[in-house]
Amino acid sequence: MSITTRSEHACCGGRVGFYSHMSASLGLEARFAVFLPDGASDAARVPVVHVLAGLTCTEETFLIKANAIRFAAEFGIALVATDTSPRGAGIAGEDDSYDFGSGAGFYLDATQAPWNTHYRMGSYIGTELPALTEAHFPLDGTRRGIMGHSMGGHGALVHALRAPDRWKSVSAFAPIVHPAAVPWGEKAFSGYLGPDRASWAAQDATLLLRAGHRHPTTILVDQGDADQFLAEQLQPWYLDEAAKAAGQGLILRRHPGYDHSYWFIQSFIQDHLTHHAAILRG
Amino acid sequence: MSITTRSEHACCGGRVGFYSHMSASLGLEARFAVFLPDGASDAARVPVVHVLAGLTCTEETFLIKANAIRFAAEFGIALVATDTSPRGAGIAGEDDSYDFGSGAGFYLDATQAPWNTHYRMGSYIGTELPALTEAHFPLDGTRRGIMGHSMGGHGALVHALRAPDRWKSVSAFAPIVHPAAVPWGEKAFSGYLGPDRASWAAQDATLLLRAGHRHPTTILVDQGDADQFLAEQLQPWYLDEAAKAAGQGLILRRHPGYDHSYWFIQSFIQDHLTHHAAILRG
């Protein structure tokens, strides 16, 4: 489990670094990034929030554009950022679509050839990346949260609902809440998981809630009302209805005028770090 | 003086927009960006800080990476961001160097052919862009400040020292303070201004101070001690010595461990907006 340092930079009293390693889950080299706040040490391990970006992004995007580091530093929380898919799997057509293949791993393990060899982002972010980063950095794995944007919001909700013992806090910006019912999700799940829709249920936050999965904390979701993907791809009312029926705590905030971009995310990121800090720091 | 809206996004209670127009100074289409805080209107014009980015950047870079908008919003200050050079001038070799030609306009008017036709960023940011943005947006041109990074720090210092009546506040991150004495500046000035070093003096903050130029306010400069360009290209002691000799107010802060990146800028950007707000808002 060795890692290679690509670059490290002082930031907000702590340090942000970009790393690569050979991933066992993906069978390829993978990149990730870590922000460590001031004072983190083996004797004083810090809570950590994993951040999952959306379609077309990389491990750099969220840390550069979300303005999260200032608040992570303030709360003494580390951030771990992952890439959005394996890279260089060598599959024909892998780079042809912005919403399938490279940059669009959907944080799940593909079961269909040829994707099932390398497209295993579910195992990667679910187990490998937490273990790797907690072995190499002074992170407290008992205080680990997750947040994401769009496809990354889907990833955060699904992983937290399936493994609330592993992800103690969860929030999302403009998440895909019911991928089995919207074009982005139907395309990705058909390709990665095949035509049997029963196999899709474990990768869909709304269906997980309907099937009895719960998270013990309140989930925070922000959604812009001027989001160009709201009506077709996101449809947050699915999550709202499923949470209400399930008794799942959910704060779903709608923001007039805000779109799908990181300009939206940076406007409300402070509230998300505050949310995670309240749970992870108690 | 018409402008074309490329995109606009709600952000931090205000609006960030990306625009283009046909520039008279440059003789080419140019791009710029504006952040307008909540409440700005023709009846309530707001102070504005122009932000100048460094080598290789565009009008997007500073607004995406510096985390400035949150604090501009808080202080009710607008931001105007410019590109770093003309684009598409069609000069042979224009795109060959990262530190000369496109992306490296040095915020001056070239006097040497073939650069003198289009490479006129001095006039562009000195007069055209302020006039354009103050005609199209509710900005108060009597409360206009300027800041920049690296080559943009050079631009901010030079423009403010030459025209303190136009630029009421000034600050910089890791600026090139004495371009006539360092490789980046010698290369750019030789190309744009020719071999006569006397013509370089008006484009050099240290030489302007030595020649009697002053700014009535204290200049704020932040510099990282782990900056990879510190010893060869930046050499902030030149500015420090010239300011002391001239009685020019200067706060030059050195930050151990910080490099030349926007990770450094975002760590101290709040102090810069606070500095400009104290002068522009009184």
Side-chain angles (χ1 to χ4, degrees):
Chain A
M1 286 215 306
S2 73
I3 66 174
T4 301
T5 300
R6 299 178 57 235
S7 71
E8 291 184 329
H9 314 269
C11 188
C12 294
R15 186 187 75 208
V16 62
F18 297 87
Y19 309 93
S20 62
H21 73 122
M22 183 55 56
S23 165
S25 307
L26 307 178
L28 292 165
E29 187 179 86
R31 293 181 175 186
F32 64 96
V34 177
F35 170 72
L36 265 189
D38 185 33
S41 72
D42 285 338
R45 289 178 167 253
V46 293
V48 55
V49 175
H50 285 240
V51 298
L52 309 183
L55 293 167
T56 76
C57 294
T58 74
E59 76 287 355
E60 294 185 335
T61 313
F62 197 99
L63 294 186
I64 290 174
K65 294 187 170 180
N67 293 10
I69 288 178
R70 166 176 307 277
F71 302 108
E74 183 180 308
F75 289 120
I77 289 177
L79 302 173
V80 171
T82 175
D83 203 349
T84 53
S85 75
R87 302 287 174 174
I91 299 172
E94 177 181 34
D95 300 329
D96 291 354
S97 300
Y98 82 99
D99 56 0
F100 186 72
S102 59
F106 274 81
Y107 304 109
L108 54 74
D109 288 356
T111 58
Q112 305 297 299
W115 306 100
N116 55 349
T117 303
H118 297 297
Y119 277 70
R120 296 175 48 80
M121 291 296 290
S123 293
Y124 184 68
I125 68 155
T127 55
E128 185 177 3
L129 187 59
L132 179 79
T133 50
E134 287 155 27
H136 284 275
F137 302 90
L139 312 179
D140 179 357
T142 70
R143 294 182 291 165
R144 184 195 306 121
I146 192 166
M147 76 163 78
H149 171 229
S150 195
M151 176 183 74
H154 144 73
L157 293 171
V158 163
H159 280 264
L161 284 169
R162 282 215 312 263
D165 53 321
R166 292 181 60 73
W167 306 101
K168 299 295 172 56
S169 57
V170 54
S171 73
F173 291 92
I176 306 171
V177 302
H178 191 5
V182 303
W184 275 342
E186 290 182 313
K187 177 176 179 177
F189 288 4
S190 296
Y192 295 136
L193 303 175
D196 177 11
R197 287 181 173 247
S199 71
W200 298 9
Q203 307 297 340
D204 183 302
T206 296
L207 297 179
L208 285 169
L209 281 172
R210 289 184 191 160
H213 289 266
R214 303 284 181 272
H215 200 275
T217 70
T218 296
I219 300 169
L220 173 62
V221 174
D222 277 313
Q223 174 63 56
D225 270 353
D227 188 320
Q228 56 270 47
F229 302 112
L230 177 61
E232 186 177 14
Q233 305 283 6
L234 305 177
Q235 306 198 48
W237 36 87
Y238 280 126
L239 187 73
D240 200 29
E241 289 165 8
K244 283 195 174 77
Q248 169 64 52
L250 170 70
I251 296 173
L252 170 60
R253 307 191 302 184
R254 305 282 293 263
H255 300 284
Y258 283 87
D259 64 22
H260 198 65
S261 69
Y262 276 86
W263 306 110
F264 159 61
I265 296 176
Q266 74 168 251
S267 301
F268 301 100
I269 190 70
Q270 183 174 16
D271 295 342
H272 284 244
L273 270 300
T274 301
H275 172 81
H276 287 273
I279 296 167
L280 300 178
R281 286 210 162 273
Chain B
M1 286 215 305
S2 71
I3 66 173
T4 299
T5 300
R6 299 177 57 236
S7 71
E8 291 183 329
H9 313 270
C11 188
C12 294
R15 187 188 74 209
V16 62
F18 297 87
Y19 310 94
S20 63
H21 73 121
M22 183 54 57
S23 165
S25 307
L26 307 178
L28 292 166
E29 186 178 87
R31 293 182 174 185
F32 64 96
V34 177
F35 169 71
L36 265 189
D38 185 34
S41 70
D42 286 339
R45 288 178 168 254
V46 293
V48 56
V49 175
H50 285 240
V51 297
L52 309 182
L55 293 166
T56 78
C57 294
T58 74
E59 77 286 355
E60 293 185 337
T61 314
F62 197 98
L63 294 187
I64 289 174
K65 294 186 171 182
N67 293 12
I69 288 179
R70 165 177 307 276
F71 301 109
E74 183 180 311
F75 289 120
I77 289 177
L79 302 172
V80 171
T82 177
D83 203 351
T84 54
S85 76
R87 301 288 175 175
I91 299 172
E94 177 180 34
D95 300 328
D96 291 354
S97 299
Y98 83 98
D99 56 0
F100 186 70
S102 59
F106 274 80
Y107 304 108
L108 54 75
D109 288 356
T111 58
Q112 305 297 298
W115 306 98
N116 56 350
T117 304
H118 297 296
Y119 277 70
R120 297 175 48 78
M121 290 298 290
S123 294
Y124 184 67
I125 68 154
T127 54
E128 185 177 1
L129 187 59
L132 179 80
T133 50
E134 287 156 27
H136 284 277
F137 301 90
L139 311 178
D140 180 357
T142 70
R143 294 183 291 166
R144 185 195 305 122
I146 193 165
M147 76 163 78
H149 171 230
S150 195
M151 176 182 75
H154 144 74
L157 293 170
V158 163
H159 280 264
L161 284 170
R162 283 216 312 264
D165 53 322
R166 292 182 57 73
W167 305 101
K168 301 295 171 56
S169 56
V170 55
S171 73
F173 291 92
I176 306 171
V177 303
H178 191 4
V182 304
W184 276 341
E186 291 182 312
K187 177 176 180 178
F189 289 4
S190 296
Y192 295 135
L193 304 174
D196 177 10
R197 288 183 170 245
S199 71
W200 298 9
Q203 308 295 342
D204 183 302
T206 296
L207 298 178
L208 286 168
L209 281 172
R210 290 183 190 161
H213 289 267
R214 302 284 181 273
H215 199 275
T217 70
T218 297
I219 299 169
L220 174 62
V221 174
D222 278 312
Q223 175 64 56
D225 270 352
D227 189 321
Q228 57 269 47
F229 303 112
L230 177 61
E232 185 177 15
Q233 305 283 7
L234 304 177
Q235 304 197 51
W237 37 86
Y238 280 127
L239 186 74
D240 200 31
E241 289 164 8
K244 282 194 173 76
Q248 169 65 51
L250 171 69
I251 296 173
L252 170 60
R253 307 191 302 184
R254 304 281 294 264
H255 300 283
Y258 284 86
D259 63 23
H260 198 63
S261 69
Y262 277 85
W263 305 111
F264 159 60
I265 296 177
Q266 75 168 250
S267 301
F268 300 101
I269 190 70
Q270 181 174 17
D271 295 342
H272 285 244
L273 270 300
T274 301
H275 172 81
H276 287 273
I279 296 167
L280 301 177
R281 288 211 162 270

